[in-house]
Amino acid sequence: MTTPLDIAPLWFWASVAGLVGLAFGSFSTVLSWRWPRNESVVHPRSHCSSCERTLTPLELVPVLSWVALRGRCRGCGERVHWRYPAIEVASGALAAGAILSFGATWKGLAAALLGVVLVPVIVIDLEHRLIPDIVVLPAAAVGLALMVAADPGDWWKPLVAALGAAGFMFVLWFLYPAGMGFGDVKLTLLLGAVLGASVVPALFLAFGAGALLGTILLVRHGAGARKMAVPFGPFLAAGALVALWWGPSMIGWYTDRLG
Ligand SMILES: [Zn+2]
């Protein structure tokens, strides 16, 4: 099938996605600092957290400005944490990789969206044990729309995957609320919408990795491990990223063995 996007090669659209991903990553650095602190993500303008100086447009260029300034504020010389370029690079790479793998298509766009949204979800949940609804819920709605557009004949599949996976997580949360947060339930809506059937291996990987870490903590710290709160969102996000690329082959491997 030819589309208007065929006027340019795939690497071009992947580069565009990479640049948009970098810009989204830049927003994510602001989001992951301010949202958990109940600060507005638009006001005031980005500023140095030690000298409060408002950053100039050139200092807001993702990654490059950090490299050019050797990771220091131009005003006060204070170190700018490497998390800023790391979040930007991860977001850009996931967006470009999604388009390269799934094409300049609705599916590729949905995969890129999932990638760039999971980056701040991981960072914020690790640091604050919170899942940012402010990006997860709109992303779930947009991801669902993109996946329906990708395959309108089977429009119900992403819907069933989103509601089924989130329903499963809701039951677990309802039965054992200490095990995860309600944010994890909402995050699963996004995962199901974009991953479709691959949300099953994503959850399998997340619970497997979570149980493994729980066991390691229990062995190393004994009964004290019960008091160590480990956020589950990063496990869900990591499981989703693995399943985004390898979910279909994992499902194939499993069904082959069932005969
Ligand atoms: Zn400064």
Side-chain angles (χ1 to χ4, degrees):
M1 194 175 73
T2 57
T3 74
L5 297 181
D6 291 335
I7 53 164
L10 187 59
W11 63 260
F12 173 80
W13 297 116
S15 310
V16 172
L19 290 176
V20 175
L22 281 173
F24 193 95
S26 183
F27 169 74
S28 294
T29 64
V30 176
L31 178 79
S32 60
W33 179 266
R34 296 188 187 179
W35 183 80
R37 291 168 176 81
N38 275 322
E39 295 171 13
S40 161
V41 291
V42 282
H43 280 285
R45 300 270 309 279
S46 291
H47 52 84
C48 169
S49 54
S50 56
C51 70
E52 303 291 326
R53 188 178 55 89
T54 300
L55 301 182
T56 62
L58 268 180
E59 288 172 282
L60 291 171
V61 179
V63 187
L64 291 181
S65 61
W66 189 87
V67 173
L69 297 169
R70 292 164 201 271
R72 288 186 183 281
C73 169
R74 211 160 49 131
C76 65
E78 193 61 37
R79 280 208 165 280
V80 179
H81 199 280
W82 58 264
R83 61 184 267 140
Y84 293 95
I87 289 171
E88 289 163 350
V89 166
S91 304
L94 284 167
I99 298 300
L100 280 179
S101 300
F102 305 107
T105 59
W106 295 121
K107 166 93 197 275
L109 211 51
L113 173 77
L114 180 67
V116 297
V117 167
L118 289 182
V119 173
V121 165
I122 293 173
V123 172
I124 295 175
D125 205 15
L126 282 175
E127 290 184 342
H128 303 280
R129 298 185 44 72
L130 289 169
I131 302 231
D133 288 350
I134 188 174
V135 290
V136 166
L137 291 179
V142 175
L144 184 67
L146 290 171
M147 290 308 288
V148 168
D151 193 1
D154 284 333
W155 61 269
W156 50 274
K157 283 187 180 171
L159 192 63
V160 167
L163 294 178
F168 169 73
M169 293 289 282
F170 177 80
V171 170
L172 292 184
W173 170 81
F174 187 78
L175 295 176
Y176 185 56
M180 66 177 83
F182 194 61
D184 297 313
V185 178
K186 289 181 272 189
L187 174 60
T188 313
L189 270 179
L190 167 64
L191 306 191
V194 175
L195 295 174
S198 289
V199 74
V200 175
L203 291 180
F204 192 81
L205 289 167
F207 280 103
L212 184 66
L213 181 71
T215 309
I216 292 171
L217 289 178
L218 205 61
V219 169
R220 289 187 63 179
H221 302 280
R226 287 182 196 285
K227 295 201 190 76
M228 293 178 165
V230 180
F232 193 52
F235 289 98
L236 283 172
L241 290 176
V242 173
L244 177 62
W245 270 278
W246 295 287
S249 46
M250 291 171 71
I251 294 173
W253 182 88
Y254 183 75
T255 50
D256 282 354
R257 264 148 199 80
L258 279 182

Short mmCIF file of all heavy atoms in Angstrom, two decimals, residues 63-132:
data_model
loop_
_atom_site.label_atom_id
_atom_site.label_comp_id
_atom_site.label_asym_id
_atom_site.label_seq_id
_atom_site.Cartn_x
_atom_site.Cartn_y
_atom_site.Cartn_z
N VAL A 63 20.00 17.74 24.71
CA VAL A 63 21.29 17.04 24.67
C VAL A 63 22.44 17.95 24.26
O VAL A 63 23.43 18.09 25.00
CB VAL A 63 21.26 15.81 23.73
CG1 VAL A 63 22.56 15.02 23.85
CG2 VAL A 63 20.09 14.91 24.09
N LEU A 64 22.33 18.61 23.08
CA LEU A 64 23.46 19.39 22.55
C LEU A 64 23.88 20.50 23.51
O LEU A 64 25.08 20.72 23.71
CB LEU A 64 23.10 20.01 21.19
CG LEU A 64 22.95 19.01 20.04
CD1 LEU A 64 22.63 19.73 18.75
CD2 LEU A 64 24.23 18.18 19.89
N SER A 65 22.88 21.20 24.12
CA SER A 65 23.25 22.29 25.01
C SER A 65 23.98 21.74 26.24
O SER A 65 24.95 22.33 26.71
CB SER A 65 22.02 23.10 25.41
OG SER A 65 21.10 22.29 26.11
N TRP A 66 23.54 20.58 26.70
CA TRP A 66 24.17 19.97 27.88
C TRP A 66 25.61 19.59 27.55
O TRP A 66 26.53 19.84 28.33
CB TRP A 66 23.38 18.73 28.31
CG TRP A 66 23.82 18.17 29.63
CD1 TRP A 66 23.38 18.55 30.87
CD2 TRP A 66 24.78 17.13 29.85
NE1 TRP A 66 23.99 17.80 31.84
CE2 TRP A 66 24.87 16.92 31.24
CE3 TRP A 66 25.57 16.36 29.00
CZ2 TRP A 66 25.71 15.97 31.81
CZ3 TRP A 66 26.42 15.40 29.56
CH2 TRP A 66 26.48 15.22 30.95
N VAL A 67 25.82 19.03 26.35
CA VAL A 67 27.17 18.64 25.93
C VAL A 67 28.03 19.88 25.73
O VAL A 67 29.17 19.95 26.22
CB VAL A 67 27.11 17.80 24.63
CG1 VAL A 67 28.51 17.53 24.10
CG2 VAL A 67 26.37 16.49 24.88
N ALA A 68 27.47 20.91 25.05
CA ALA A 68 28.25 22.13 24.75
C ALA A 68 28.67 22.83 26.04
O ALA A 68 29.77 23.37 26.12
CB ALA A 68 27.42 23.06 23.88
N LEU A 69 27.80 22.80 27.05
CA LEU A 69 28.12 23.48 28.32
C LEU A 69 28.80 22.53 29.30
O LEU A 69 29.01 22.86 30.46
CB LEU A 69 26.83 24.05 28.93
CG LEU A 69 26.14 25.14 28.09
CD1 LEU A 69 24.76 25.45 28.64
CD2 LEU A 69 26.99 26.40 28.04
N ARG A 70 29.16 21.34 28.81
CA ARG A 70 29.84 20.33 29.63
C ARG A 70 29.09 20.05 30.94
O ARG A 70 29.69 19.90 32.01
CB ARG A 70 31.28 20.75 29.94
CG ARG A 70 32.13 20.73 28.69
CD ARG A 70 33.42 21.48 28.89
NE ARG A 70 33.98 21.89 27.61
CZ ARG A 70 34.82 21.13 26.90
NH1 ARG A 70 35.21 19.97 27.34
NH2 ARG A 70 35.27 21.56 25.74
N GLY A 71 27.75 20.01 30.84
CA GLY A 71 26.94 19.64 31.99
C GLY A 71 26.99 20.63 33.14
O GLY A 71 26.82 20.25 34.30
N ARG A 72 27.23 21.92 32.82
CA ARG A 72 27.22 22.93 33.89
C ARG A 72 26.32 24.10 33.52
O ARG A 72 26.16 24.41 32.35
CB ARG A 72 28.65 23.45 34.16
CG ARG A 72 29.52 22.43 34.85
CD ARG A 72 30.86 23.02 35.23
NE ARG A 72 31.71 22.00 35.83
CZ ARG A 72 31.62 21.57 37.08
NH1 ARG A 72 30.72 22.12 37.89
NH2 ARG A 72 32.42 20.64 37.54
N CYS A 73 25.76 24.75 34.55
CA CYS A 73 24.95 25.94 34.31
C CYS A 73 25.88 27.07 33.87
O CYS A 73 26.93 27.28 34.47
CB CYS A 73 24.19 26.34 35.59
SG CYS A 73 23.43 27.97 35.48
N ARG A 74 25.46 27.84 32.83
CA ARG A 74 26.31 28.90 32.31
C ARG A 74 26.35 30.09 33.28
O ARG A 74 27.26 30.90 33.25
CB ARG A 74 25.73 29.38 30.96
CG ARG A 74 26.77 29.88 29.98
CD ARG A 74 26.19 29.84 28.60
NE ARG A 74 24.88 30.47 28.59
CZ ARG A 74 24.50 31.40 27.72
NH1 ARG A 74 25.33 31.78 26.77
NH2 ARG A 74 23.29 31.92 27.77
N GLY A 75 25.36 30.19 34.15
CA GLY A 75 25.33 31.30 35.10
C GLY A 75 26.15 31.02 36.34
O GLY A 75 27.08 31.75 36.66
N CYS A 76 25.84 29.94 37.04
CA CYS A 76 26.46 29.70 38.34
C CYS A 76 27.48 28.57 38.30
O CYS A 76 28.19 28.35 39.29
CB CYS A 76 25.39 29.40 39.39
SG CYS A 76 24.49 27.86 39.06
N GLY A 77 27.60 27.85 37.19
CA GLY A 77 28.61 26.79 37.10
C GLY A 77 28.22 25.51 37.82
O GLY A 77 28.99 24.55 37.84
N GLU A 78 27.01 25.50 38.40
CA GLU A 78 26.55 24.29 39.11
C GLU A 78 26.34 23.15 38.12
O GLU A 78 25.94 23.39 36.98
CB GLU A 78 25.25 24.62 39.84
CG GLU A 78 24.80 23.58 40.86
CD GLU A 78 25.78 23.37 42.00
OE1 GLU A 78 26.40 24.36 42.46
OE2 GLU A 78 25.93 22.21 42.41
N ARG A 79 26.63 21.92 38.56
CA ARG A 79 26.44 20.77 37.67
C ARG A 79 24.97 20.58 37.30
O ARG A 79 24.10 20.69 38.14
CB ARG A 79 26.91 19.48 38.36
CG ARG A 79 28.40 19.31 38.32
CD ARG A 79 28.80 17.84 38.35
NE ARG A 79 30.19 17.71 37.94
CZ ARG A 79 30.59 17.72 36.68
NH1 ARG A 79 29.71 17.83 35.70
NH2 ARG A 79 31.87 17.62 36.38
N VAL A 80 24.73 20.31 36.03
CA VAL A 80 23.38 19.94 35.59
C VAL A 80 23.37 18.42 35.49
O VAL A 80 24.21 17.83 34.81
CB VAL A 80 23.04 20.58 34.22
CG1 VAL A 80 21.63 20.17 33.78
CG2 VAL A 80 23.16 22.10 34.30
N HIS A 81 22.44 17.80 36.20
CA HIS A 81 22.44 16.33 36.32
C HIS A 81 22.37 15.65 34.95
O HIS A 81 21.67 16.13 34.05
CB HIS A 81 21.25 15.92 37.18
CG HIS A 81 21.39 14.55 37.75
ND1 HIS A 81 21.12 13.42 37.02
CD2 HIS A 81 21.78 14.12 38.97
CE1 HIS A 81 21.32 12.35 37.78
NE2 HIS A 81 21.73 12.75 38.97
N TRP A 82 23.06 14.53 34.82
CA TRP A 82 23.03 13.78 33.55
C TRP A 82 21.67 13.21 33.26
O TRP A 82 21.40 12.74 32.16
CB TRP A 82 24.08 12.67 33.56
CG TRP A 82 23.93 11.69 34.69
CD1 TRP A 82 24.58 11.72 35.88
CD2 TRP A 82 23.08 10.54 34.73
NE1 TRP A 82 24.18 10.69 36.68
CE2 TRP A 82 23.26 9.93 36.00
CE3 TRP A 82 22.17 9.96 33.84
CZ2 TRP A 82 22.55 8.78 36.38
CZ3 TRP A 82 21.48 8.82 34.23
CH2 TRP A 82 21.68 8.24 35.48
N ARG A 83 20.74 13.22 34.23
CA ARG A 83 19.40 12.70 33.95
C ARG A 83 18.73 13.47 32.82
O ARG A 83 17.94 12.91 32.08
CB ARG A 83 18.52 12.77 35.20
CG ARG A 83 18.32 14.17 35.71
CD ARG A 83 17.52 14.23 37.00
NE ARG A 83 16.09 14.44 36.75
CZ ARG A 83 15.13 13.84 37.42
NH1 ARG A 83 15.43 13.01 38.38
NH2 ARG A 83 13.88 14.07 37.15
N TYR A 84 19.07 14.78 32.70
CA TYR A 84 18.41 15.57 31.65
C TYR A 84 18.73 15.04 30.26
O TYR A 84 17.82 14.67 29.52
CB TYR A 84 18.75 17.06 31.80
CG TYR A 84 18.13 17.64 33.05
CD1 TYR A 84 18.86 17.73 34.23
CD2 TYR A 84 16.80 18.03 33.06
CE1 TYR A 84 18.28 18.22 35.39
CE2 TYR A 84 16.21 18.51 34.21
CZ TYR A 84 16.96 18.61 35.38
OH TYR A 84 16.37 19.07 36.52
N PRO A 85 20.03 14.97 29.86
CA PRO A 85 20.30 14.40 28.52
C PRO A 85 19.91 12.94 28.43
O PRO A 85 19.49 12.48 27.36
CB PRO A 85 21.81 14.60 28.35
CG PRO A 85 22.33 14.81 29.72
CD PRO A 85 21.25 15.48 30.50
N ALA A 86 20.00 12.18 29.52
CA ALA A 86 19.66 10.75 29.46
C ALA A 86 18.19 10.55 29.13
O ALA A 86 17.83 9.71 28.29
CB ALA A 86 20.01 10.07 30.79
N ILE A 87 17.31 11.33 29.78
CA ILE A 87 15.86 11.23 29.51
C ILE A 87 15.58 11.63 28.06
O ILE A 87 14.78 10.99 27.36
CB ILE A 87 15.07 12.12 30.51
CG1 ILE A 87 15.12 11.50 31.91
CG2 ILE A 87 13.63 12.32 30.04
CD1 ILE A 87 14.56 12.41 33.01
N GLU A 88 16.28 12.67 27.59
CA GLU A 88 16.05 13.14 26.21
C GLU A 88 16.52 12.11 25.19
O GLU A 88 15.82 11.80 24.22
CB GLU A 88 16.76 14.49 26.01
CG GLU A 88 16.07 15.62 26.77
CD GLU A 88 16.94 16.86 26.96
OE1 GLU A 88 18.16 16.81 26.66
OE2 GLU A 88 16.39 17.88 27.40
N VAL A 89 17.72 11.55 25.42
CA VAL A 89 18.27 10.56 24.48
C VAL A 89 17.38 9.32 24.44
O VAL A 89 17.06 8.79 23.37
CB VAL A 89 19.71 10.18 24.86
CG1 VAL A 89 20.16 8.92 24.11
CG2 VAL A 89 20.66 11.33 24.55
N ALA A 90 16.95 8.84 25.61
CA ALA A 90 16.10 7.64 25.66
C ALA A 90 14.80 7.88 24.89
O ALA A 90 14.36 7.03 24.11
CB ALA A 90 15.80 7.28 27.12
N SER A 91 14.20 9.07 25.07
CA SER A 91 12.94 9.37 24.39
C SER A 91 13.13 9.44 22.88
O SER A 91 12.33 8.90 22.12
CB SER A 91 12.36 10.70 24.90
OG SER A 91 12.21 10.66 26.31
N GLY A 92 14.21 10.12 22.44
CA GLY A 92 14.48 10.23 21.01
C GLY A 92 14.76 8.87 20.39
O GLY A 92 14.26 8.55 19.31
N ALA A 93 15.54 8.04 21.08
CA ALA A 93 15.91 6.73 20.54
C ALA A 93 14.69 5.82 20.44
O ALA A 93 14.52 5.10 19.45
CB ALA A 93 16.98 6.09 21.43
N LEU A 94 13.82 5.86 21.45
CA LEU A 94 12.62 5.01 21.41
C LEU A 94 11.68 5.44 20.28
O LEU A 94 11.12 4.59 19.58
CB LEU A 94 11.89 5.06 22.76
CG LEU A 94 12.55 4.24 23.88
CD1 LEU A 94 11.95 4.59 25.23
CD2 LEU A 94 12.40 2.74 23.60
N ALA A 95 11.53 6.75 20.09
CA ALA A 95 10.64 7.24 19.03
C ALA A 95 11.19 6.86 17.66
O ALA A 95 10.46 6.35 16.80
CB ALA A 95 10.45 8.75 19.15
N ALA A 96 12.49 7.08 17.43
CA ALA A 96 13.10 6.74 16.14
C ALA A 96 13.06 5.23 15.92
O ALA A 96 12.74 4.75 14.82
CB ALA A 96 14.53 7.27 16.09
N GLY A 97 13.37 4.47 16.96
CA GLY A 97 13.38 3.01 16.85
C GLY A 97 12.00 2.45 16.53
O GLY A 97 11.87 1.49 15.77
N ALA A 98 10.96 3.09 17.09
CA ALA A 98 9.59 2.62 16.84
C ALA A 98 9.24 2.79 15.36
O ALA A 98 8.66 1.90 14.74
CB ALA A 98 8.60 3.40 17.71
N ILE A 99 9.61 3.95 14.78
CA ILE A 99 9.29 4.18 13.36
C ILE A 99 10.12 3.24 12.47
O ILE A 99 9.62 2.68 11.50
CB ILE A 99 9.53 5.66 12.99
CG1 ILE A 99 8.61 6.57 13.81
CG2 ILE A 99 9.33 5.88 11.49
CD1 ILE A 99 7.14 6.34 13.62
N LEU A 100 11.40 3.05 12.82
CA LEU A 100 12.24 2.15 12.03
C LEU A 100 11.68 0.73 12.05
O LEU A 100 11.71 0.02 11.05
CB LEU A 100 13.67 2.13 12.57
CG LEU A 100 14.57 3.29 12.16
CD1 LEU A 100 15.95 3.15 12.81
CD2 LEU A 100 14.70 3.38 10.64
N SER A 101 11.17 0.29 13.22
CA SER A 101 10.69 -1.09 13.35
C SER A 101 9.30 -1.29 12.79
O SER A 101 9.02 -2.32 12.18
CB SER A 101 10.68 -1.51 14.83
OG SER A 101 11.97 -1.41 15.37
N PHE A 102 8.40 -0.31 13.02
CA PHE A 102 7.00 -0.52 12.67
C PHE A 102 6.54 0.35 11.50
O PHE A 102 5.37 0.33 11.13
CB PHE A 102 6.11 -0.29 13.89
CG PHE A 102 6.50 -1.13 15.07
CD1 PHE A 102 7.14 -0.58 16.17
CD2 PHE A 102 6.27 -2.51 15.06
CE1 PHE A 102 7.53 -1.36 17.26
CE2 PHE A 102 6.67 -3.30 16.14
CZ PHE A 102 7.29 -2.72 17.22
N GLY A 103 7.48 1.13 10.95
CA GLY A 103 7.17 1.92 9.78
C GLY A 103 6.56 3.27 10.11
O GLY A 103 6.17 3.53 11.26
N ALA A 104 6.51 4.14 9.10
CA ALA A 104 5.84 5.44 9.26
C ALA A 104 4.35 5.19 9.11
O ALA A 104 3.73 5.53 8.10
CB ALA A 104 6.36 6.43 8.23
N THR A 105 3.78 4.53 10.10
CA THR A 105 2.39 4.07 10.08
C THR A 105 1.70 4.46 11.38
O THR A 105 2.34 4.95 12.31
CB THR A 105 2.35 2.53 9.97
OG1 THR A 105 3.05 2.00 11.11
CG2 THR A 105 3.04 2.03 8.71
N TRP A 106 0.40 4.21 11.46
CA TRP A 106 -0.33 4.47 12.71
C TRP A 106 0.27 3.62 13.83
O TRP A 106 0.43 4.07 14.96
CB TRP A 106 -1.81 4.12 12.56
CG TRP A 106 -2.56 4.96 11.58
CD1 TRP A 106 -3.24 4.53 10.48
CD2 TRP A 106 -2.74 6.39 11.62
NE1 TRP A 106 -3.81 5.60 9.83
CE2 TRP A 106 -3.53 6.74 10.50
CE3 TRP A 106 -2.30 7.39 12.49
CZ2 TRP A 106 -3.87 8.07 10.23
CZ3 TRP A 106 -2.66 8.71 12.22
CH2 TRP A 106 -3.43 9.03 11.11
N LYS A 107 0.61 2.35 13.49
CA LYS A 107 1.21 1.46 14.50
C LYS A 107 2.55 2.02 14.97
O LYS A 107 2.85 2.02 16.17
CB LYS A 107 1.37 0.07 13.88
CG LYS A 107 2.27 -0.90 14.64
CD LYS A 107 1.48 -1.76 15.60
CE LYS A 107 2.37 -2.42 16.65
NZ LYS A 107 2.97 -3.65 16.20
N GLY A 108 3.37 2.49 14.01
CA GLY A 108 4.67 3.07 14.37
C GLY A 108 4.50 4.28 15.28
O GLY A 108 5.24 4.46 16.26
N LEU A 109 3.49 5.10 14.96
CA LEU A 109 3.23 6.30 15.76
C LEU A 109 2.79 5.92 17.18
O LEU A 109 3.22 6.51 18.17
CB LEU A 109 2.13 7.12 15.06
CG LEU A 109 2.17 8.63 15.21
CD1 LEU A 109 3.53 9.19 14.88
CD2 LEU A 109 1.10 9.26 14.32
N ALA A 110 1.92 4.89 17.28
CA ALA A 110 1.46 4.43 18.59
C ALA A 110 2.63 3.88 19.39
O ALA A 110 2.74 4.14 20.61
CB ALA A 110 0.38 3.36 18.42
N ALA A 111 3.53 3.13 18.73
CA ALA A 111 4.69 2.56 19.42
C ALA A 111 5.62 3.67 19.91
O ALA A 111 6.15 3.62 21.02
CB ALA A 111 5.43 1.60 18.50
N ALA A 112 5.80 4.71 19.06
CA ALA A 112 6.65 5.84 19.45
C ALA A 112 6.05 6.57 20.65
O ALA A 112 6.76 6.93 21.60
CB ALA A 112 6.80 6.80 18.27
N LEU A 113 4.72 6.74 20.62
CA LEU A 113 4.02 7.39 21.74
C LEU A 113 4.24 6.61 23.03
O LEU A 113 4.58 7.17 24.08
CB LEU A 113 2.53 7.49 21.43
CG LEU A 113 1.64 7.99 22.56
CD1 LEU A 113 1.76 9.50 22.71
CD2 LEU A 113 0.18 7.61 22.33
N LEU A 114 4.07 5.28 22.94
CA LEU A 114 4.25 4.44 24.12
C LEU A 114 5.67 4.61 24.68
O LEU A 114 5.86 4.81 25.89
CB LEU A 114 4.00 2.97 23.75
CG LEU A 114 4.17 1.97 24.90
CD1 LEU A 114 3.08 2.18 25.94
CD2 LEU A 114 4.13 0.53 24.38
N GLY A 115 6.65 4.58 23.79
CA GLY A 115 8.05 4.70 24.22
C GLY A 115 8.32 6.01 24.95
O GLY A 115 8.86 6.01 26.06
N VAL A 116 7.90 7.14 24.35
CA VAL A 116 8.24 8.42 24.97
C VAL A 116 7.47 8.65 26.27
O VAL A 116 7.95 9.36 27.15
CB VAL A 116 8.05 9.63 24.01
CG1 VAL A 116 8.97 9.52 22.82
CG2 VAL A 116 6.62 9.80 23.58
N VAL A 117 6.29 8.05 26.40
CA VAL A 117 5.51 8.23 27.63
C VAL A 117 6.07 7.36 28.76
O VAL A 117 6.07 7.75 29.93
CB VAL A 117 4.01 7.95 27.38
CG1 VAL A 117 3.25 7.81 28.69
CG2 VAL A 117 3.40 9.06 26.54
N LEU A 118 6.60 6.18 28.41
CA LEU A 118 7.09 5.28 29.45
C LEU A 118 8.36 5.82 30.13
O LEU A 118 8.63 5.50 31.28
CB LEU A 118 7.34 3.88 28.89
CG LEU A 118 6.07 3.10 28.54
CD1 LEU A 118 6.40 1.71 28.04
CD2 LEU A 118 5.14 3.01 29.75
N VAL A 119 9.11 6.69 29.43
CA VAL A 119 10.35 7.22 30.03
C VAL A 119 10.06 8.02 31.32
O VAL A 119 10.58 7.68 32.39
CB VAL A 119 11.17 8.04 29.01
CG1 VAL A 119 12.35 8.72 29.68
CG2 VAL A 119 11.65 7.13 27.87
N PRO A 120 9.19 9.08 31.25
CA PRO A 120 8.91 9.79 32.51
C PRO A 120 8.16 8.92 33.52
O PRO A 120 8.29 9.13 34.73
CB PRO A 120 8.07 10.99 32.07
CG PRO A 120 7.48 10.60 30.75
CD PRO A 120 8.53 9.73 30.10
N VAL A 121 7.37 7.94 33.04
CA VAL A 121 6.66 7.05 33.97
C VAL A 121 7.70 6.30 34.82
O VAL A 121 7.57 6.21 36.05
CB VAL A 121 5.76 6.04 33.21
CG1 VAL A 121 5.34 4.89 34.12
CG2 VAL A 121 4.54 6.76 32.65
N ILE A 122 8.75 5.78 34.19
CA ILE A 122 9.79 5.05 34.92
C ILE A 122 10.50 5.98 35.90
O ILE A 122 10.65 5.65 37.09
CB ILE A 122 10.81 4.44 33.93
CG1 ILE A 122 10.15 3.34 33.07
CG2 ILE A 122 12.02 3.88 34.67
CD1 ILE A 122 11.03 2.80 31.96
N VAL A 123 10.90 7.16 35.40
CA VAL A 123 11.68 8.08 36.25
C VAL A 123 10.85 8.52 37.47
O VAL A 123 11.32 8.47 38.61
CB VAL A 123 12.12 9.33 35.43
CG1 VAL A 123 12.75 10.38 36.33
CG2 VAL A 123 13.09 8.90 34.32
N ILE A 124 9.60 8.94 37.23
CA ILE A 124 8.77 9.48 38.31
C ILE A 124 8.40 8.39 39.31
O ILE A 124 8.41 8.61 40.53
CB ILE A 124 7.51 10.17 37.74
CG1 ILE A 124 7.91 11.40 36.92
CG2 ILE A 124 6.56 10.58 38.86
CD1 ILE A 124 6.75 12.08 36.21
N ASP A 125 8.11 7.18 38.80
CA ASP A 125 7.72 6.11 39.73
C ASP A 125 8.92 5.67 40.58
O ASP A 125 8.77 5.40 41.77
CB ASP A 125 7.12 4.92 38.97
CG ASP A 125 6.18 4.09 39.84
OD1 ASP A 125 5.79 4.58 40.92
OD2 ASP A 125 5.85 2.96 39.47
N LEU A 126 10.11 5.62 39.97
CA LEU A 126 11.31 5.26 40.74
C LEU A 126 11.58 6.28 41.84
O LEU A 126 11.93 5.93 42.97
CB LEU A 126 12.54 5.16 39.83
CG LEU A 126 12.68 3.90 38.99
CD1 LEU A 126 13.88 4.02 38.06
CD2 LEU A 126 12.83 2.67 39.90
N GLU A 127 11.42 7.57 41.51
CA GLU A 127 11.79 8.62 42.47
C GLU A 127 10.70 8.94 43.47
O GLU A 127 11.00 9.33 44.59
CB GLU A 127 12.17 9.89 41.70
CG GLU A 127 13.48 9.74 40.95
CD GLU A 127 13.94 11.01 40.26
OE1 GLU A 127 13.12 11.93 40.07
OE2 GLU A 127 15.12 11.07 39.92
N HIS A 128 9.43 8.84 43.03
CA HIS A 128 8.35 9.32 43.89
C HIS A 128 7.26 8.29 44.14
O HIS A 128 6.30 8.59 44.84
CB HIS A 128 7.71 10.57 43.27
CG HIS A 128 8.69 11.67 43.03
ND1 HIS A 128 9.12 12.52 44.03
CD2 HIS A 128 9.35 12.05 41.91
CE1 HIS A 128 9.99 13.38 43.53
NE2 HIS A 128 10.16 13.11 42.24
N ARG A 129 7.36 7.12 43.54
CA ARG A 129 6.32 6.10 43.67
C ARG A 129 4.95 6.65 43.25
O ARG A 129 3.94 6.44 43.92
CB ARG A 129 6.26 5.56 45.10
CG ARG A 129 7.56 4.88 45.48
CD ARG A 129 7.51 4.21 46.84
NE ARG A 129 6.29 3.47 47.09
CZ ARG A 129 5.97 2.32 46.53
NH1 ARG A 129 6.78 1.77 45.67
NH2 ARG A 129 4.84 1.70 46.82
N LEU A 130 4.98 7.37 42.13
CA LEU A 130 3.74 7.91 41.57
C LEU A 130 3.75 7.65 40.07
O LEU A 130 4.82 7.60 39.47
CB LEU A 130 3.67 9.44 41.79
CG LEU A 130 3.44 9.95 43.21
CD1 LEU A 130 3.68 11.45 43.25
CD2 LEU A 130 2.03 9.62 43.66
N ILE A 131 2.56 7.49 39.49
CA ILE A 131 2.46 7.35 38.04
C ILE A 131 1.74 8.58 37.50
O ILE A 131 0.65 8.91 38.01
CB ILE A 131 1.69 6.05 37.68
CG1 ILE A 131 2.43 4.89 38.30
CG2 ILE A 131 1.50 5.94 36.16
CD1 ILE A 131 2.77 3.75 37.42
N PRO A 132 2.35 9.31 36.57
CA PRO A 132 1.75 10.58 36.12
C PRO A 132 0.55 10.39 35.20
O PRO A 132 0.68 10.29 33.99
CB PRO A 132 2.91 11.27 35.39
CG PRO A 132 3.77 10.15 34.89
CD PRO A 132 3.62 9.02 35.89
#
